[in-house]
Amino acid sequence: MKKNDVVKVTIEDIGINGEGIGKIQNYPLFVKGGIPGDEILARITKTKKTYGYGRVEEILHPSPDRIEPPCPIAEPCGGCQLQALSYEKQLTFKEKTVKGNLERIGKVPSPLLEKVMNPIVGMEEPFRYRNKAAYPIGRNRDGRIVAGFYAGRTHQIIPVDDCLLGKKENKTILNKIISHMEKHQIEPYDEVGHRGLIRHVLIRYGEKTGEWMVSIVINGNTIPKKEELIEALVGIQGMTSISLSVNKKNTNVIMGNEIITIWGQEYITDKIGDLSFQISPLAFYQVNQKQTEKLYNLALTYADLKGKEKVWDLYCGIGTISLFLAQKAEMVYGVEVVPEAIENAKENAKINGLANARFYVGKAEEVLPAHIKEHGRAEVIVVDPPRKGCAESLLETMVNMEPERIVYVSCDSATLARDVKYLRENGYELREVTPVDQFGMTVHVECVCLMTRKET
Ligand code: SAH
């Protein structure tokens, strides 16, 4: 088999990036756009010794689980890897991913895994769930200013101002900004030449409060005719915060560190459960409010607090989980590396009347060991790291602290599995695993686990 050959193949599985996997005489072929159950003709695009890549040339018999993607640009955009798969089967795939990683990478024995794995918590409505969108602004092939998404890993912007995962109003906001740019000949940023002014538009929405935040990322210090743009944007009901984010660096990091509030306040507020949270442009906040509520409730259940416990919440962001826990614990210590997020966390503790939460800026792996003596034993440690998981030194510190319970919230089950392996080898047992779908249509899986200290 070689490049450009066309072969008949049945797709049997989904790979970690959402691609279909079929086999030709035991040679795995990764086919972008293939859905398990599809019988297709695939054109080979690349061959390696033990596997190859192809793309769908023709669907001979579509899988019963295949659906017509509701978004017209689902394929070129690539952000929704699973839109052509029925939502039910997306959930099955995600459960399998978590289980597979815990088995292969985590070396969790099958009988234990069967016992601890709970069914995935799905969404009622798997579209329009994202409360945050960052649209790059650029020019399309005809030279018109457009908002959209970078196609795959390219510099090419695919115009789309109504992403179906985001809010309908995003389009109105983007149109107002683009009209302003056209009227005053304001140049969009050009990544290749590192020229132009407007780079990205960050939009955030408070699902429970109806508050809107717009932060315009610029390669400069201000926007021409700023007052006129503000006037256009404040016409949107619920507009609460308009800011500029200065990013003059030649980088693919979206936000600049300097935030200049040009109208309203710097933050918006949203609610999860009974708690209110102030969210700044630079702070991390879960993108799916409804599912986050379910996720945090599970984390709280697993923490099993009776009121006398000391708890650490590592990677705490704006203190969301910390304050959830503070409702039931004696004392919660939160640690987070982004200073703006910690400012939000402290303010959030105040506005919710929770005096039993303290927050530290810094890396979890550095802050935790530095404060063990001061705070003494903790019964529960919660971690919610970014995709790369926890530093091994942090896991080591945690194990030495001997908490009764570790609640691990993860957005990447491969690194979760790696860390579970370490913890199982060092005195902890896996008790509960519940995937929660925070990111319908995409391959990403969120997951919450409980580990408890083994009796010695
Ligand atoms: N628990 C929060 C945030 C989770 S996202 C929530 O549910 O909203 C992960 C957070 O970890 C981000 O806010 C990120 O800024 C922070 N972070 C990344 N590396 C870190 C480290 N080494 N130490 C502490 N925080 C870190």
Side-chain angles (χ1 to χ4, degrees):
M1 210 164 41
K2 57 184 188 314
K3 195 175 165 177
N4 274 323
D5 280 0
V6 173
V7 291
K8 192 166 142 183
V9 61
T10 301
I11 302 296
E12 291 164 14
D13 209 346
I14 312 176
I16 48 168
N17 299 315
E19 69 282 42
I21 307 176
K23 277 192 183 138
I24 298 158
Q25 289 156 5
N26 274 332
Y27 179 82
L29 191 66
F30 292 87
V31 187
K32 203 179 155 198
I35 294 286
D38 277 346
E39 195 184 276
I40 60 165
L41 290 179
R43 184 173 291 272
I44 309 288
T45 52
K46 198 173 180 179
T47 56
K48 300 229 177 192
K49 215 177 242 157
T50 50
Y51 59 90
Y53 295 95
R55 63 177 149 76
V56 180
E57 185 83 358
E58 193 189 328
I59 299 175
L60 301 173
H61 293 288
S63 160
D65 302 322
R66 177 178 276 284
I67 57 161
E68 185 62 37
C71 172
I73 62 146
E75 202 216 307
C77 165
C80 292
Q81 305 87 354
L82 301 180
Q83 240 190 59
L85 183 64
S86 71
Y87 184 59
E88 201 192 321
K89 287 290 159 32
Q90 291 182 22
L91 294 178
T92 313
F93 158 71
K94 293 186 185 194
E95 261 178 17
K96 249 180 79 184
T97 305
V98 174
K99 210 169 161 187
N101 281 334
L102 285 169
E103 202 159 13
R104 275 192 311 275
I105 305 170
K107 305 279 183 253
V108 180
S110 296
L112 175 61
L113 207 48
E114 291 303 325
K115 213 170 88 192
V116 299
M117 273 290 302
N118 301 303
I120 186 166
V121 180
M123 298 165 58
E124 282 91 48
E125 174 45 68
F127 288 99
R128 300 270 182 222
Y129 60 81
R130 282 191 66 99
N131 58 24
K132 175 179 131 177
Y135 282 90
I137 308 291
R139 287 192 186 277
N140 69 3
R141 287 210 183 88
D142 308 328
R144 287 191 70 84
I145 300 174
V146 290
F149 292 101
Y150 288 112
R153 294 193 180 89
T154 69
H155 293 293
Q156 181 74 39
I157 290 181
I158 301 201
V160 53
D161 48 14
D162 186 27
C163 167
L164 296 184
L165 301 192
K167 304 293 159 193
K168 275 203 177 92
E169 293 83 350
N170 290 349
K171 182 175 175 152
T172 316
I173 293 171
L174 292 167
N175 283 346
K176 285 183 192 293
I177 295 170
I178 290 173
S179 305
H180 183 77
M181 291 174 70
E182 279 167 347
K183 184 169 168 202
H184 298 292
Q185 283 150 18
I186 302 170
E187 274 303 303
Y189 181 66
D190 161 19
E191 271 204 317
V192 182
H194 188 48
R195 279 187 305 260
L197 184 64
I198 314 270
R199 298 176 70 130
H200 274 85
V201 175
L202 172 83
I203 305 174
R204 266 180 160 166
Y205 178 64
E207 199 76 53
K208 282 289 168 74
T209 56
E211 294 185 2
W212 287 97
M213 164 189 288
V214 176
S215 187
I216 305 171
V217 186
I218 52 172
N219 173 36
N221 297 321
T222 187
I223 290 183
K225 305 277 180 204
K226 191 175 74 191
E227 300 306 323
E228 198 182 312
L229 177 60
I230 291 171
E231 206 173 301
L233 289 174
V234 299
I236 287 158
Q237 199 192 350
M239 187 56 65
T240 302
S241 168
I242 306 176
S243 64
L244 303 175
S245 162
V246 176
N247 183 0
K248 297 182 191 170
K249 291 195 188 134
N250 195 352
T251 147
N252 58 8
V253 174
I254 296 177
M255 300 295 287
N257 283 331
E258 189 190 344
I259 303 288
I260 307 166
T261 305
I262 57 172
W263 186 84
Q265 57 195 42
E266 190 186 298
Y267 57 87
I268 58 167
T269 306
D270 196 17
K271 289 191 80 167
I272 307 177
D274 295 330
L275 302 178
S276 294
F277 297 100
Q278 295 184 354
I279 310 150
S280 300
L282 293 178
F284 174 91
Y285 181 63
Q286 299 279 356
V287 296
N288 186 335
Q289 189 272 346
K290 283 201 182 80
Q291 293 298 99
T292 297
E293 209 158 85
K294 299 179 191 170
L295 181 77
Y296 289 178
N297 278 322
L298 279 167
L300 191 61
T301 307
Y302 291 170
D304 193 24
L305 300 170
K306 307 278 188 261
K308 289 274 164 242
E309 297 86 351
K310 279 183 195 152
V311 184
W312 283 89
D313 177 25
L314 308 176
Y315 311 88
C316 71
I318 59 172
T320 41
I321 297 179
S322 322
L323 297 181
F324 247 68
L325 298 165
Q327 299 176 99
K328 298 271 171 72
E330 183 174 287
M331 191 68 207
V332 178
Y333 306 103
V335 185
E336 160 64 46
V337 81
V338 174
E340 287 82 0
I342 287 294
E343 274 169 39
N344 284 160
K346 288 179 178 165
E347 198 54 36
N348 288 331
K350 247 186 241 162
I351 62 175
N352 290 291
L354 292 163
N356 57 335
R358 241 180 105 173
F359 294 97
Y360 297 97
V361 181
K363 290 187 175 169
E365 56 273 32
E366 290 166 10
V367 172
L368 184 63
H371 289 85
I372 296 175
K373 272 227 177 82
E374 184 187 342
H375 298 314
R377 183 149 188 274
E379 281 78 12
V380 181
I381 300 180
V382 179
V383 297
D384 183 7
R387 279 187 210 162
K388 68 173 183 213
C390 297
E392 193 173 305
S393 65
L394 174 66
L395 296 176
E396 198 185 321
T397 308
M398 285 164 55
V399 165
N400 290 334
M401 287 171 73
E402 302 188 339
E404 285 310 316
R405 294 165 176 268
I406 295 174
V407 179
Y408 196 131
V409 181
S410 155
C411 57
D412 185 330
S413 57
T415 56
L416 166 74
R418 180 200 66 202
D419 294 349
V420 162
K421 180 166 180 282
Y422 181 94
L423 292 169
R424 285 193 71 241
E425 286 166 356
N426 289 280
Y428 284 80
E429 191 49 290
L430 189 59
R431 298 285 175 192
E432 303 278 350
V433 181
T434 309
V436 177
D437 191 24
Q438 298 269 64
F439 313 105
M441 305 301 136
T442 80
V443 291
H444 303 290
V445 204
E446 191 89 11
C447 192
V448 52
C449 303
L450 170 65
M451 300 194 75
T452 59
R453 203 153 78 90
K454 286 181 207 159
E455 302 297 330
T456 44

